[in-house]
Amino acid sequence: MTDNSEPTADDAIAGLSRADPLAAVSPLDGRYADRTAPLSPYASEAALMRARTRVEVEYLLGLGALDATPIAFDEATAAALREVYEAFDAEDARLVKALETEGAAGYDATNHDVKAVEYFLRVRLADIAEGPDAPLDDAESLYPWIHFGLTSEDVNNLAQRLLLKPAVSEVIVPAVREVRDALVELAHEYRDAPMLARTHGQPATPTTFGKEMAVYAARLGRALGRVVVANEDLSGKLAGASGTYAAHRAAYPEVDWRAFSASFVRGLDLEHTALATQVNPCDDLAALFDALRGVNNVLLDLDLDAWLYVSDRYLGQEAVEGETGSSTMPHKVNPIDFENSEGNLSVANSDLTFLADYVTSSRLQRDLSDSTVKRNVGAALAHCLIGYSKAADGLATVVPNETVMCEELDATPEVIGEAVQTILRREGDTEAYERVKALSRGRSVTLDDFRELFADLDVDDEVRAELAALTPAGYTGLADELVDGVGNAGGSTNE
């Protein structure tokens, strides 16, 4: 019998591994996997497991340093414990996941991701205790001290920031700097290239292409500076189930737990949140997300302007050999990098706005709705990263078309009207603005029309010559000098 049933979706991808980018549900791990890969060490679930392990190990060592507790660690044992998170690998991540979902190593499934890390540490402590030269004699005696007095949020809020901080400083910030440096380079190279400006979409006082790129470089530098500051200000909490150190105080009332917490959190290179519920209030995260939106808004403005410059033929695009611009129009070279950057940064801003609004609220002392939301921070950063890399790609493939720019300036002589009326004002002409308005507003004029106006003016010959020398291409003010306000590529540029 012939099987005429339609193939199912499962059949269609049956030959694909779940790890294959072609099978990914999200384009972040599929189509754009190569571009988002630098974030994997900071945004993946395995990375979060490792960061949680680090917090738990360092906390255990911190307890061991207290005179009040019956545990202590020599250098060899401390090094062996730190090796657990320093050498954390795929096998460790799979064990943690198994402890959470199905049970492993003699433990039942926890159905709790932080508890799974606690049991994982028990397993690794037992491993350390094995062998004749083991630095640890009795692993089981340490089990009660893993996660002692903590709530999951104590571990999670610290682990998340231990990942977010380097993700921003080591991946996001360098990607933005690359775009900024490309803008600085364009600014310096084309500082003298005159270009018609447009205000309200209409011809306006000329500028230079370099000066316009310098504007974006300076804006981006300032916005990036705000990101750097917000990232340095990330703040962690460790204070128990309601933020009162209740369990800690009950067990060891003689210990200054507030001082311990502050020292511990700062030892992780985070600021300390002294007052909290069970949840870190996350105002620090909101500030960082808002700062990232500031960067994105600058680049969205750049993407839109670059698209328009391409449309006006002010920017030419280098064609990539073999690349298809349009499936039906063979001649086209589309500004796809700027369009792709615009789309991804728009998604990123939507995500960052939502995250900034959401993570700063919690029902009373704790609810878990933020837990699943915070898992999407990496996705927001990934869309940022794609947007930055695409903007950089776009800038690398465009070339200012100075011939087109000059031709359009020559065809728009009315833009010298501002200079004409300003010089006449200087000479005391009370009707200067009105004279130029009558000549040029809503009309097509030529330089000869202006010269006829100049001939009828009651001014000195020197002033008449000054007016006659005006040209659109020469009317760019201090545009070329303003470029000096941005540093050389690779420099600080306001950040």
Side-chain angles (χ1 to χ4, degrees):
M1 181 180 293
T2 303
D3 183 2
N4 293 319
S5 61
E6 292 292 326
T8 67
D10 286 343
D11 293 333
I13 62 169
L16 297 176
S17 162
R18 288 177 60 189
D20 192 317
L22 293 175
V25 173
S26 167
L28 299 176
D29 294 318
R31 184 176 185 85
Y32 304 121
D34 288 344
R35 291 182 184 266
T36 61
L39 285 170
S40 183
Y42 312 102
S44 63
E45 186 166 6
L48 182 57
M49 292 172 180
R50 181 179 183 272
R52 285 168 170 159
T53 303
R54 176 184 172 187
V55 173
E56 294 279 15
V57 166
E58 292 298 335
Y59 178 70
L60 180 61
L61 293 173
L63 292 177
L66 292 174
D67 292 337
T69 63
I71 57 174
F73 303 98
D74 58 24
E75 290 185 8
T77 306
L81 288 171
R82 289 193 169 104
E83 180 73 9
V84 174
Y85 68 79
E86 290 171 351
F88 192 94
D89 58 15
E91 180 183 347
D92 294 321
R94 283 190 283 268
L95 176 56
V96 173
K97 196 64 178 177
L99 287 164
E100 177 191 352
T101 59
E102 59 196 57
Y107 294 93
D108 293 332
T110 63
N111 197 30
H112 193 289
D113 47 6
V114 177
K115 197 67 175 177
V117 171
E118 181 181 342
Y119 289 167
F120 164 75
L121 276 175
R122 290 188 179 188
V123 173
R124 289 294 175 254
L125 284 175
D127 293 340
I128 293 172
E130 292 180 356
D133 298 323
L136 184 63
D137 295 329
D138 182 10
E140 284 195 31
S141 66
L142 293 176
Y143 292 174
W145 300 98
I146 304 172
H147 203 70
F148 179 83
L150 299 183
T151 184
S152 297
E153 175 63 9
D154 287 324
V155 177
N156 280 334
N157 89 98
L158 296 173
Q160 288 157 355
R161 284 158 178 80
L162 288 176
L163 296 173
L164 179 58
K165 192 169 185 176
V168 170
S169 65
E170 297 175 18
V171 179
I172 296 299
V173 168
V176 179
R177 284 186 179 136
E178 182 180 349
V179 180
R180 182 204 60 192
D181 290 349
L183 290 167
V184 171
E185 186 173 337
L186 285 169
H188 284 279
E189 185 173 356
Y190 295 97
R191 60 186 295 150
D192 298 319
M195 181 182 79
L196 183 68
R198 284 186 172 82
T199 58
H200 309 281
Q202 306 302 307
T205 301
T207 181
T208 69
F209 183 77
K211 178 261 177 182
E212 298 309 309
M213 295 302 100
V215 170
Y216 279 113
R219 291 180 62 195
L220 199 55
R222 290 192 295 271
L224 187 55
R226 291 189 288 271
V227 170
V228 171
V229 170
N231 198 46
E232 287 298 319
D233 287 344
L234 289 181
S235 178
K237 166 262 179 187
L238 185 140
S242 294
T244 64
Y245 304 95
H248 295 83
R249 180 67 179 272
Y252 290 103
E254 70 275 21
V255 173
D256 186 345
W257 289 110
R258 288 191 295 175
F260 173 88
S261 175
S263 176
F264 178 75
V265 172
R266 288 172 183 145
L268 296 174
D269 197 27
L270 298 170
E271 297 299 314
H272 179 238
T273 299
L275 279 170
T277 60
Q278 183 180 123
V279 181
N280 186 327
C282 292
D283 299 311
D284 59 331
L285 296 186
L288 177 57
F289 299 154
D290 286 341
L292 286 168
R293 285 183 59 245
V295 166
N296 295 351
N297 285 337
V298 173
L299 290 179
L300 280 167
D301 204 15
L302 170 67
D303 289 333
L304 293 171
D305 277 0
W307 190 95
L308 289 169
Y309 288 144
V310 170
S311 178
D312 289 339
R313 297 192 303 124
Y314 281 15
L315 288 177
Q317 299 179 96
E318 295 179 356
V320 178
E321 187 174 352
E323 182 181 86
T324 298
S326 166
S327 63
T328 186
M329 293 175 281
H331 70 281
K332 294 189 71 180
V333 181
N334 295 329
I336 54 174
D337 288 320
F338 294 115
E339 292 170 336
N340 192 295
S341 175
E342 177 189 346
N344 274 284
L345 293 178
S346 297
V347 173
N349 273 4
S350 177
D351 289 349
L352 291 167
T353 300
F354 168 72
L355 287 166
D357 289 344
Y358 202 94
V359 299
T360 54
S361 62
S362 177
R363 294 179 187 88
L364 303 179
Q365 282 67 53
R366 176 63 163 143
D367 74 83
L368 271 177
S369 59
D370 70 307
S371 177
T372 189
V373 167
K374 288 173 183 172
R375 292 180 186 275
N376 291 280
V377 171
L381 295 183
H383 282 294
C384 288
L385 185 59
I386 297 169
Y388 305 153
S389 65
K390 285 290 187 177
D393 287 350
L395 291 174
T397 57
V398 293
V399 179
N401 193 333
E402 296 181 71
T403 300
V404 170
M405 292 179 185
C406 288
E407 287 174 352
E408 186 149 15
L409 280 170
D410 291 341
T412 320
E414 61 266 27
V415 295
I416 69 168
E418 178 192 43
V420 171
Q421 66 98 7
T422 303
I423 291 173
L424 292 179
R425 283 172 180 261
R426 182 195 70 195
E427 297 301 311
D429 189 338
T430 58
E431 299 298 319
Y433 180 88
E434 286 71 22
R435 291 181 198 279
V436 178
K437 175 182 175 183
L439 173 70
S440 61
R441 190 168 191 266
R443 297 175 54 192
S444 178
V445 295
T446 66
L447 286 177
D448 287 339
D449 294 327
F450 275 104
R451 292 187 181 108
E452 289 180 13
L453 171 66
F454 303 156
D456 294 335
L457 293 174
D458 184 16
V459 295
D460 295 339
D461 288 343
E462 184 178 327
V463 174
R464 205 182 318 277
E466 181 184 3
L467 292 169
L470 290 170
T471 64
Y475 184 46
T476 58
L478 302 174
D480 59 335
E481 296 179 22
L482 291 171
V483 171
D484 294 332
V486 294
N488 296 320
S492 63
T493 314
N494 297 308
E495 177 269 311

